[in-house]
Amino acid sequence: MKSPFDLSGRKAVVTGGSRGIGGAIAELFLEHGAEVAICHLGDEANASALRERMAARGHALHCTECDVSSPAAVDRFAEWATQRLGQVDIVVNSAGVGGGDRPFESTDERDWDLTVGVNLRGTMLVTRAFFAGMTSRQWGRVINVASQLAYKGAPGLAHYCAAKAGVVGFTRALAYEGAPRGVLVNAIAPGPVDTDLLRNHSEQWLAFKKSQLPVGRFGEVGEIAPTALLLASEAGAFYVGQTLSPNGGDVML
């Protein structure tokens, strides 16, 4: 009997897929039968290492660069991905920047535009590039990576929290348009996960954050990726406009 988590025959793109949460999702999708193309920005070393690791397991991973905040770059990425995959059934918007923790009065327009540009604008641009193709085929999955900070907030992260809250709102709104045409749009709001993005925070901020977690530790990328597999597969066929939160109890809804 075929597993409800099987992705055989599905074609997926994962932004920010060279490492961290995106890399773990790309790896898990490949292991469950999907063909996967990832993009990264200036991270060729990690992308190549992931591609080689997957090749050793018999999986082919397609890799390229893309600045998801740039419409022209996203258009090129969409054309490249379509050429490699033939079509795109699953989009995972995992590319993100943290911006570092700083008081709001020290946050300037450049900080704001970079953080919102990658995390929110990039999510919209990449989704838009593939959405029409999904609706025309009457099947698709869009999985946006938000954050539990969209709900909880955090000192020094007004720009990041605003961007991720926008991702949650975008997910809910687009779900209404996608579901009647076979495209399910959902999001994941991870808690603090041990990635480069988390490590960019100060030791004081990290200690403060860890003290808030009932589990007493930060998450691992391998604990987030299965949520994406659920949402991408037939096992998640009744999830619409939801934001699932593997967060160690940081936010309990």
Side-chain angles (χ1 to χ4, degrees):
M1 182 177 178
K2 183 178 178 180
S3 166
F5 297 99
D6 183 64
L7 296 179
S8 296
R10 298 301 184 191
K11 313 295 182 70
V13 297
V14 181
T15 69
S18 58
R19 57 180 171 170
I21 292 172
I25 291 172
E27 186 172 344
L28 192 60
F29 280 11
L30 284 166
E31 291 174 347
H32 281 77
E35 188 174 356
V36 179
I38 68 168
C39 71
H40 62 88
L41 186 60
D43 196 30
E44 180 60 35
N46 281 311
S48 295
L50 179 59
R51 181 172 52 215
E52 292 171 7
R53 190 162 68 250
M54 292 295 97
R57 300 182 197 171
H59 305 301
L61 177 67
H62 309 284
C63 306
T64 192
E65 285 208 20
C66 179
D67 176 0
V68 299
S69 69
S70 164
V74 169
D75 287 344
R76 290 192 296 270
F77 172 60
E79 182 178 1
W80 171 87
T82 302
Q83 289 174 348
R84 294 300 187 280
L85 301 177
Q87 67 185 50
V88 173
D89 305 303
I90 303 164
V91 171
V92 179
N93 288 300
S94 183
V97 295
D101 53 283
R102 66 195 68 185
F104 176 66
E105 60 267 26
S106 301
T107 302
D108 60 23
E109 293 89 343
R110 183 176 179 278
D111 299 325
W112 185 273
D113 290 344
L114 172 64
T115 306
V116 173
V118 174
N119 293 306
L120 181 55
R121 177 184 170 94
T123 294
M124 180 277 290
L125 290 173
V126 173
T127 302
R128 187 179 66 180
F130 298 105
F131 192 73
M134 293 180 183
T135 58
S136 69
R137 293 186 297 273
Q138 293 286 299
W139 199 97
R141 300 287 189 268
V142 177
I143 302 166
N144 301 320
V145 178
S147 169
Q148 97 285 6
L149 295 181
Y151 300 101
K152 187 171 186 175
L157 288 173
H159 49 335
Y160 182 79
C161 295
K164 291 301 189 178
V167 170
V168 172
F170 172 71
T171 298
R172 291 171 176 163
L174 191 60
Y176 279 104
E177 299 186 36
R181 293 182 282 174
V183 181
L184 306 185
V185 185
N186 293 286
I188 305 171
V193 178
D194 187 16
T195 63
D196 290 341
L197 189 150
L198 184 70
R199 297 180 203 117
N200 285 334
H201 293 294
S202 66
E203 290 298 324
Q204 181 181 7
W205 193 95
L206 292 172
F208 158 76
K209 191 72 242 178
K210 187 176 290 186
S211 71
Q212 294 182 321
L213 298 173
V215 295
R217 64 174 179 85
F218 296 135
E220 301 292 336
V221 294
E223 295 175 305
I224 310 304
T227 305
L229 178 62
L230 167 66
L231 295 174
S233 68
E234 289 305 316
F238 205 52
Y239 287 87
V240 178
Q242 301 302 306
T243 300
L244 306 186
S245 300
N247 62 36
D250 196 24
V251 176
M252 301 185 192
L253 298 176

